[in-house]
Amino acid sequence: TEPSTEASAGASTEASGEASTEASSDAEPAGDFTPAADLEIPAGKTPLSLPVDQAAEEPIKIATIMVQNNPFGAAVLVGQNWAKEALADRNCTVDCQSVEDFDPQKWASIIENDIAAGYDAICFFGISEALQPVTDKGVEAGILMYTFNTEPGNNSKRQAYYGQSGTYGGEECGKKLEELMGGEGKYAIITGDFTVLGHEERRLGARSILDANDKLELVAEVENNDKAEEAYTQTQNILTANPDLKGLYVTAGGPSGAAKALEDMGLQDQVMLVCHDVLEETAPYIASGTIKGCMDQDPFNQGAQPVIDAFNQLVAGEGPKEEVNWYEGVMATPDTVKELFPELF
Amino acid sequence: MRNQTGTELAARKSGTFKKLMAKPEMTALVALIALFVIMCILRPATFPTTTNIFVIIRQFSLNAILAVGMGLIIITTGIDLSVGSVIAASAAFGTYFARATDYALPGIVVLLLILGMGTAFGLANGLLVSKVGLPPFIATLGMMSVGQGVALLITNGSPIRYEPTWISVFGGGYIGPVPVTVIVMAVIVVIGFIFANNTMTGRNIYAVGNSAPAAKLSGINVDKILTLVYVIEGFLAGVCALLLVGQMNSADPSFGKGYELDVIAAAVIGGISMTGGEGNILGVVVGAALMGILKNMFTQLAVSGYWQTVILGLIIIGAVALDSVRKKRAAR
Amino acid sequence: MRNQTGTELAARKSGTFKKLMAKPEMTALVALIALFVIMCILRPATFPTTTNIFVIIRQFSLNAILAVGMGLIIITTGIDLSVGSVIAASAAFGTYFARATDYALPGIVVLLLILGMGTAFGLANGLLVSKVGLPPFIATLGMMSVGQGVALLITNGSPIRYEPTWISVFGGGYIGPVPVTVIVMAVIVVIGFIFANNTMTGRNIYAVGNSAPAAKLSGINVDKILTLVYVIEGFLAGVCALLLVGQMNSADPSFGKGYELDVIAAAVIGGISMTGGEGNILGVVVGAALMGILKNMFTQLAVSGYWQTVILGLIIIGAVALDSVRKKRAAR
Amino acid sequence: MSKELICKLNGISKIFPGVRALDNVSFDIYSGEVHAVVGENGAGKSTLMNILSGVYPADEGTVEFEGKPVLFREPKEAQLAGIAMIHQELSLAPHMTAAENVYVGRMPKKGLFIDKVKMYRDTQAFLDELGIDYISPNAIVKNLSVSEQQLLEIVKAMSFRSKMLIMDEPTASLTEGEIKFLLKIVDDLRRSGVAILYISHKLEEIMEIADKITVLRDGKHIETRERKDMDEQTMINLMVGREFDQSAHREFMSGYETRKPILEVEHLSDVRGRVNDVSFKLYEGEVLGLTGLVGAGRSELLETIFGAHLRKAGTIKLGGKEVRIKDTEDAINYGIALIPEGRKIQGLFLKMSVEDNMTMVYLKRLKSTLGLLNKNKVKGIADEYVKKLNVKTPSLQQCVNNLSGGNQQKTIVARWLMNGPKILFMDEPTHGIDIGAKSEIYRIIDDLAKQGVSIILLSSEMPEVLSLCDRIMVMHHGELRGVLGHDEADQVKIMSYTLDSAANDTKEGQTA
Ligand SMILES: Nc1ncnc2c1ncn2[C@@H]1O[C@H](COP(=O)(O)OP(=O)(O)OP(=O)(O)O)[C@@H](O)[C@H]1O
Ligand SMILES: Nc1ncnc2c1ncn2[C@@H]1O[C@H](COP(=O)(O)OP(=O)(O)OP(=O)(O)O)[C@@H](O)[C@H]1O
Ligand SMILES: [Mg+2]
Ligand SMILES: [Mg+2]
């Protein structure tokens, strides 16, 4: 499942482009709502879909489900909330729900509750293959089941998917790390949780690149449970055990902890740190050069696009452009980060 | 020591109604009914539907099943923190062999492997508590970590697919409008209740919880009883593993994560005293139901996730507080 | 009930060495020394360096700090599950006001806000246990959820940056080769030890743990003592919040998640009896150190992540088992 | 009734870490006999009985039961062989019903399930048989009074229909009337051919019921004699191992008119309704007895004055001034001390040292720098009291759990005497302690009274109250039934106050 770069890039420009033209042409005042063209867009964000300029006749209810308590989740929530605001005056309520961890049973329960509560669409993080049965159940109940970030199994019936492939993201980071390390030396991986599918996809994706090079030696693979403090501790442990470490890859939450540890030990120039998600948490460390490569996956659109698309599908039948909407994402580096993400500075 | 007097005495004095109300599980039952009524008023269209009711019951079923065993453990003054990771380990264990044999293994063998692994973990917990004499908190904390590791080693970190019909029916099937999971739960709760109240072993569990030295003097094999309650909980974790695999059609190493605290909360909210020796096994269902209805309610009312966490904590405290205050007052 | 006799008696009879060895924290100390020696042999170049030693000590410092308070709580037969989320809530609280005032708030105010929030949570726990009479497990389980929710509400799910020098020094600074965190830990442990052993209030904590009714009849305000131990732990959680904010230069809502079990394990491995009334506060440092050295060891020896989990569980069990077996045998 | 040899003990020894609890004990037990075993605290009586009933194995020696050598590894094996035991510490399950307690571990079954109907019916039958049908088989045990619980223990032991019944201090928490009742049951059992091993510190009781008496001292067998060859003084001398003089008597107080009361309690009631409108006065240097049936509310009265329970109504005056005692700390600050009745739960800190136990209250009075304890001072005072009260302990650091009952009691007494109390409440201070320790406690009471300390002595033992107290108060159902001067008090009069019919006429009594 290689994402086709053209397709996703195309889809994104097309989607935004078309949406805006549609908004301007479709200018008839159908109700008391802000036309798409006039919607306020948060600084630095580019919505890949905009709502059709039409209010729903019957009230529409959309649910979104996301993990809480990590900065990535918060960034997705920004997108979801933007969509919520944008749709509020179009007779559509969006309920942003959250789950505290990656326990599939809890997720399945929430989705089931949503199905029972009569939502018209459910947009959720497809944390695990274990969500496939409940996803299919929602589809069978006639609900739009749009997923983002991770696929709930390879052959679920979900109608649309948005996000970056975990494997792809991992591979990109692996390539970047190999390049930064000059193709040789010791490296270590700090992963979020061995039990979380998305984290494992990235870890194994990176390994598929790095293992192919005999001159690269993996010296440690540890969990940090998405916690910055734990990443700090583990980074210290790894470096005292391997003072000649050259590369470090953090697959999930808490990379700022690793960066802080490197700075505290004065090793930011020796150790090439690669991680995911350009957020408030990581931006300063990218700018300062401690994080040498940071793969972004457009959390804003992961939050906003499925919701907007679902609304468009429900009121106008103009839903997602593609069934699978890959986000290529960008690899921010110390040189490019301020340019790519001005809103964070 | 501090919290155990007087309630019954107070009950004796007044009528049957008051007597009933003095039972610790009653606070939870009243709260449950109140929430139910409130929800029926607030969301008349989506809440009191057959589907939604069964969704709620199915969701708290696992919690209720585990709370039956946890109740018995708490009655012996023990605790089991490992229950969540035992689910993960057992689910992984059975499905691993299924996959390793290219799904040629008969369903019954997979079933036995899953239940067997759960029971084996229970036995390990039980022996650590009874024979080695470890504090239950520590024994099961250690086994929690071991179980998690075993699940990871077996699955290599990613879910194992397993989707034959029998297990799908078991975990996700319906008989009429009633989910099979709910039927399994009902059967286990009823057996658990009869076991605790009408068999000698059941009563011996209470006797051990009242006073282990006294039970020993009465000729009860205390070590055996202590081992047994953990074995039961291990077996029930195996049952839950089966239900989860059936429902999700896969075994995920993150199954069961964090269950232990919910299960303990359900048991205690349901009136099982943490000082041991007393409590009604039927009460745990009320405890589990209360926690289940809350989660459904949060969704129905679209309560923000952050607030859910706060409210859940307050409800746990509130549900037990009323009874505690009453006991505390009686002890003055 | 089951695990409390004989050790001291057995100890008395033989020489000082045997007497020393019979102390429950000794198993952990011996295990700690053994691991240390083994690591020095296996990794002579990277393990026994000043840097690595201080890295290890710094890492278990937070655990040790919290284990001092947890030890006192367990001595009163209580438990505190909320400690992790209290750290998150206090860190969020202080830094939130700092950010809201555009970092114009004086450092001392932020410091007081963080410590104050921790203490307030501790007070809530303490009052729920002492005045309301809730079982400590339930009271602090509820407050754990509340604390987590509060942290999320304050931070909105993502970290709040806070990086003035004073707090960086506090959390990440060094005096010579010694991290400031380690010094804070050492001071707290020493004060905790003296408090427990050489003050009347400390003695009263043990008395309450031995028998609350007897303590009451000896003129000890049992409710006050019970409240106090939770307040102390809340304050220490505030201290840890400070250290973490200082170390990470931000307040993350995931701070402290899962600490509670590690801290309880450290206290119990360090010889604090879960049945209350006995245990040496110095022992908890040994418990925390043992758990700390393990993580470092895993990295040094490049143990696979999945196995780490299994081994950690086995070590927790093993460290307490030896002492349990001894007690169990003495009780026969 | 033929008396056959049923059990033979041959050279039994048992060693606990640091203690030789039994040392080569041999004697025979016959069916149809009450065989009393007496000795001081720690003589090894309970240990021997525990060996007989399968709680511990003996280290040396053998037991023959009905002619066959037996070795019980568990209580259950002894029960099956026909030996039942009533243990010294109550061993009931408080949260379970009376019937369940009688049949715990061996409930009648119908198929897989317990035959509850039969279990409750049979329990009722036993209760009827013993004439204690006021206990319901459905009652939850924690709601029964202590004496009812004790009676239930007896029902439980009898329900085994065993050939040998061991009773370890069955009367410790019974009143005179109940003891009489129990002794009648014992007599009936003897007649039916059961062998009974009977342990008690109440020697009158032994003289009344026993056929044979065995004396143990320091784990050694000293004597086994027919009761008719033994008198009380000989028995005491054998137990103590020397001539023992217990004839100490107090000089009673007189001239109440000229004395000032130190404590005046007026119309006191507690919140739980166990103390009802109680008024009395306590004079300086007086020993005021407080007696009545078990469960009369005596402990509750003292504890309420002491601030341990919430008061509903009433006033308390100390030295003529009204005081407000909100909690036990206030009471202590006013110079009141209370030696509670439940030694193990209410009195001792079992995992702490003798020193800690003794100084727990005293610590408050020590001036300290920076809040730190002056350990030398603490040690000094503890040492002083160990000597003063003759507490037998190997060191101050000994865990108090390892002391004998009498020495534990002295530890608690020391805790309070250190504070120089003006008023001392003693709740069953001689409960379960041997004759030697008892007379030492009596001596302490006398000394304190001479020094001007005012004492309320709560006791169910009539001789104790009669020989020690200047005046005696009798309580019944939470009410004060009357106060008797030592010269007008006798057993019959006191008993008459505890009858339900003796309603209000005595209430005004001599409330002085
Ligand atoms: N489990 C035990 N561990 C250690 N020592 C014990 C144990 N049980 C009893 N002892 C000691 O053995 C000795 C005999 O005790 P035992 O209880 O048999 O005395 P007793 O004659 O029943 O006294 P009492 O009249 O106080 O009941 C005492 O010194 C006691 O401290
Ligand atoms: N914790 C309790 N729960 C229920 N009933 C109790 C409790 N404590 C005491 N009682 C009951 O209260 C009444 C008074 O008890 P109290 O202990 O004051 O009596 P007492 O005269 O001191 O008797 P004793 O000689 O046994 O101490 C009794 O009927 C007793 O059974
Ligand atoms: Mg005895
Ligand atoms: Mg009493």
Side-chain angles (χ1 to χ4, degrees), chain C residues 9, chain D residues 16-17 19 21 39-48 56 88 168-169 201 402-405 432:
Chain C
L9 187 76
Chain D
F16 288 115
V19 194
E40 296 191 280
N41 290 122
K45 305 179 294 290
S46 298
T47 306
L48 184 61
Y56 331 110
Q88 186 170 4
D168 195 351
E169 300 199 39
H201 287 292
N402 296 328
L403 297 194
S404 77

Side-chain angles (χ1 to χ4, degrees), chain A residues 68-71 74 100 194 200 203 219 222 227-230 232-234 236-238 240-241 243 257 260 285, chain C residues 46 52 55 58-59 152 156-157 159 244 247-249 254-257 259 295-296 299-300 302 305-306 308:
Chain A
Q68 52 180 235
N69 93 9
N70 70 26
E100 68 263 25
F194 289 125
E200 284 294 275
R203 182 173 73 86
V219 294
V222 291
K227 287 192 293 187
E229 22 167 344
E230 193 66 23
Y232 186 98
T233 299
Q234 295 290 16
Q236 275 196 333
N237 280 340
I238 292 167
T240 50
K260 184 72 173 36
Y285 292 105
Chain C
T46 54
N52 194 41
V55 161
R58 209 190 52 70
Q59 284 171 15
L152 287 168
N156 238 319
L244 275 174
Q247 182 190 326
M248 310 304 294
N249 280 333
S254 72
F255 273 175
K257 208 163 204 190
Y259 275 26
K295 272 190 196 166
N296 188 269
T299 318
Q300 292 263 346
Y306 299 166
Q308 291 184 14

Side-chain angles (χ1 to χ4, degrees), chain A residues 68 95 97-98 102-105 108-109 112-114 116-117 119 128-130 132-133 137 193-195 200, chain B residues 46 52 55 58-59 148 152 156-157 161 174 244 247-248 250 252-254 257 259 296 299-300 302 305-306 309:
Chain A
Q68 52 180 235
D95 292 326
Q97 301 161 355
S98 54
F102 290 101
D103 170 15
Q105 228 276 321
S109 297
E112 266 186 347
N113 285 339
D114 286 341
Y119 281 100
S128 159
E129 195 170 352
Q132 186 178 331
K137 191 174 154 191
D193 213 316
F194 289 125
T195 61
E200 284 294 275
Chain B
T46 54
N52 193 42
V55 161
R58 209 182 56 66
Q59 282 170 14
Q148 187 65 62
L152 284 169
N156 237 318
R161 283 206 77 70
Y174 286 80
L244 276 175
Q247 185 189 332
M248 312 282 191
S250 68
D252 193 309
S254 68
K257 217 167 201 186
Y259 275 26
N296 187 269
T299 314
Q300 293 264 346
Y306 300 166
T309 324

Side-chain angles (χ1 to χ4, degrees), chain C residues 4-5 9 12-13 194 197-200 203-204 206-207 210-211 213-220 273 275-278, chain D residues 17-18 306 308 328-329 332 340 345-346 349-352 356 360-361 363-364 371-373 375 397-399 402 415-416:
Chain C
Q4 53 189 216
T5 34
L9 187 76
R12 180 120 335 139
K13 293 235 59 195
I194 294 175
N197 286 282
N198 295 291
T199 70
M200 196 175 82
R203 194 73 64 90
N204 288 351
Y206 282 89
N210 268 270
S211 164
K216 186 174 173 187
L217 289 178
S218 299
I220 296 171
S273 156
T275 52
E278 55 179 344
Chain D
F306 195 62
T328 51
E329 198 174 350
I332 292 168
I345 291 170
Q346 293 183 295
F349 304 101
L350 287 171
K351 293 178 185 174
M352 298 175 88
D356 284 341
M360 192 55 76
V361 180
L363 296 182
K364 275 201 216 328
L372 297 185
L373 297 175
K375 290 227 164 171
Q397 297 313 316
Q398 173 76 325
C399 180
N402 296 328
R415 180 189 300 164
W416 291 104

